[in-house]
Amino acid sequence: ALLLMPVLLNVTLCAITWWVRRSFTIHAAPSTTSTLLRRWLILMVVCAAVVFVLGLLTSDSFIPFSALASGEDLSDAPNATPLQVFHDYVLVLLPTATASIFEPTLVPMTLLAEAPVLWTPLVAWVGTLFLVLRALLALPRVPASSPVDDLIPLLREHGANTLGWMQTWEGNQVWVSPFDEAGVAYRGAGGVALTVTDLAYEEGTASRAIAEFSSFTASAGLTPALYSIHEDLAQAARRDGWTIMQVAEESLLDLPGLAFKGKAYQDVRTAMNHAAREDQITVISQGWSSDKALPEMGFTLGGVRELAVPETRILVAVDSQSTIHAVTSWLPVYRGGQVVGLTLDVMRRRTQGWRPAIEFLIGKAALSAQEEGLEFLSLSGAPLTRSADDTSVFGPLIDALAAIMEPLYGFTSLHAFKRKFKPRTQPLYLAVPDPASLATVGLAISHAYVPSVS
């Protein structure tokens, strides 16, 4: 009974687990099991080798258990063999219930002799439990990404708002709903599925799109986080019980009727007039990031690599000596299959170049888009900024983060620069299903922007 009951209990538990194995839908990466097995085999081989070596060194420090039990003269007892020592080592590895059936053959008489038959098994068990724990805590396997080509038709049809085309950049994973009704690009790291921006979905189906994406992330063991989303999707998430908080503010220029007239646009007019006199035309510059305390950021902030993404428009400024002064890039904003606006992404100026080059390029882009018949120009979002006071419980947190980041990246300065174009503003939100996950999501956002920084 002492042996049978524990064995039956464990066999029953294993059988139940195997029977309901399809209920375990969250899987580890394929390498997790193989890594666990490989490391465990190495641990057991090392422990076995230590036992054999110590068995040779301490062969005269053991007394046969049978001799000790019978009261024989111990001076004539033979030395232990390494196999006998290994036999007792294996017995100690077995469950304690087996002690009533399998008895050790040797009794250690010195502290060193205890090492192979008492302490080495303890090391083997502790090491095994540690390896199993590491495997259990390994990040779940991120589902295979859909091709970005499956997402692009949804972006063309539904737009995913002003930042939607960023979802076509490299480094993202793609989710598309089972019936191709909704989709989004996301980063699946740190246990979080962090969307690049709004989901692409048919108007009026926001809640269903959120529910389907949440179901997908749950099946992968990931926490969904809708990042840099606009008002419509944020309010749909709020109605579904999610927690939302403003994380950025976007600046937009409405193009119909736009004219850079009046004192408010003096800097813009000066830049454009100056450019005309000095034969300024457009080009690219990469020297902008050299004076930043942080490395070049990614995720929703494009760089030189993103200039090559199809349909990205590049507006560059160069003088008559072919000196590079500034570069801007513009992403298309779709609605109903048609481009209705442009979103500013890359904005770089030569450090020692013509100072108002960026103002010139933005002004030219606005007038050119206006002539094309587009509806608006988005100057994109400035993270951790807002025009109005945030009275929510997250307001002080965002203010504190903004104060920390300002010397490193200058988000507030960026927001102030865009205000000279007198844009209208709209908030960008983060939505999470549970406020308890905000810390985890915050780390995922930080990692997405600067993965090389600890």
Side-chain angles (χ1 to χ4, degrees), residues 29-303:
S31 61
T32 302
T33 303
S34 59
T35 300
L36 168 64
L37 181 60
R38 182 175 66 253
R39 290 175 176 174
W40 182 77
L41 289 175
I42 292 174
L43 172 66
M44 299 311 292
V45 168
V46 170
C47 288
V50 169
V51 168
F52 272 104
V53 171
L54 291 177
L56 287 172
L57 296 176
T58 61
S59 60
D60 58 348
S61 301
F62 291 93
I63 296 176
F65 186 80
S66 57
L68 187 65
S70 62
E72 298 177 6
D73 185 3
L74 301 181
S75 61
D76 297 330
N79 289 346
T81 66
L83 282 178
Q84 288 177 313
V85 176
F86 184 75
H87 171 270
D88 284 10
Y89 158 75
V90 173
L91 289 184
V92 179
L93 288 179
L94 295 177
T96 55
T98 62
S100 61
I101 297 179
F102 304 109
E103 295 182 346
T105 58
L106 303 171
V107 178
M109 303 302 294
T110 65
L111 185 64
L112 185 61
E114 290 180 353
V117 296
L118 294 180
W119 303 114
T120 306
L122 181 62
V123 171
W125 264 112
V126 171
T128 298
L129 293 174
F130 174 75
L131 293 177
V132 171
L133 179 62
R134 284 193 62 179
L136 290 173
L137 295 179
L139 293 177
R141 179 178 61 204
V142 177
S145 174
S146 299
V148 70
D149 290 343
D150 291 350
L151 179 62
I152 288 178
L154 292 171
L155 295 176
R156 293 188 194 279
E157 182 63 27
H158 307 306
N161 227 303
T162 54
L163 308 181
W165 205 251
M166 294 179 179
Q167 302 188 44
T168 63
W169 292 351
E170 292 184 11
N172 298 322
Q173 293 173 288
V174 173
W175 167 79
V176 175
S177 64
F179 300 102
D180 297 335
E181 297 171 337
V184 72
Y186 69 96
R187 298 289 177 97
V192 175
L194 182 69
T195 67
V196 176
T197 180
D198 295 79
L199 282 68
Y201 58 91
E202 186 178 351
E203 186 176 358
T205 63
S207 292
R208 186 174 67 188
I210 293 173
E212 290 181 345
F213 180 65
S214 299
S215 176
F216 160 77
T217 58
S219 67
L222 301 174
T223 299
L226 309 181
Y227 181 67
S228 286
I229 61 174
H230 291 76
E231 188 77 27
D232 291 346
L233 193 61
Q235 294 307 320
R238 185 195 291 275
R239 289 191 297 271
D240 292 339
W242 289 44
T243 298
I244 69 171
M245 57 186 293
Q246 184 177 343
V247 293
E249 188 167 81
E250 184 179 17
S251 302
L252 297 102
L253 297 177
D254 294 312
L255 297 179
L258 176 67
F260 294 122
K261 298 179 180 180
K263 186 177 181 180
Y265 292 109
Q266 180 63 44
D267 289 347
V268 180
R269 289 200 308 276
T270 300
M272 297 177 69
N273 293 334
H274 195 183
R277 289 197 306 269
E278 298 189 4
D279 191 27
Q280 295 295 317
I281 53 181
T282 50
V283 89
I284 189 170
S285 170
Q286 300 184 43
W288 168 86
S289 60
S290 60
D291 61 344
K292 296 292 186 295
L294 288 174
E296 186 170 15
M297 302 178 78
F299 192 38
T300 62
L301 301 174

Side-chain angles (χ1 to χ4, degrees), residues 294-377:
L294 288 174
E296 186 170 15
M297 302 178 78
F299 192 38
T300 62
L301 301 174
V304 174
R305 184 179 65 176
E306 282 71 33
L307 296 177
V309 172
E311 299 194 45
T312 300
R313 305 187 186 191
I314 303 173
L315 198 59
V316 289
V318 63
D319 63 18
S320 56
Q321 284 76 42
S322 298
T323 300
I324 297 170
H325 284 272
V327 57
T328 56
S329 68
W330 302 85
L331 309 178
V333 181
Y334 277 93
R335 187 194 308 134
Q338 301 295 321
V339 176
V340 295
L342 299 174
T343 297
L344 175 63
D345 179 31
V346 172
M347 183 173 60
R348 307 285 169 84
R349 180 179 68 85
R350 177 183 287 272
T351 304
Q352 304 299 325
W354 183 48
R355 187 197 61 77
I358 294 295
E359 290 93 327
F360 162 67
L361 291 179
I362 293 176
K364 293 290 287 186
L367 296 179
S368 175
Q370 185 185 51
E371 293 176 1
E372 191 178 333
L374 302 185
E375 297 178 13
F376 61 86
L377 206 68

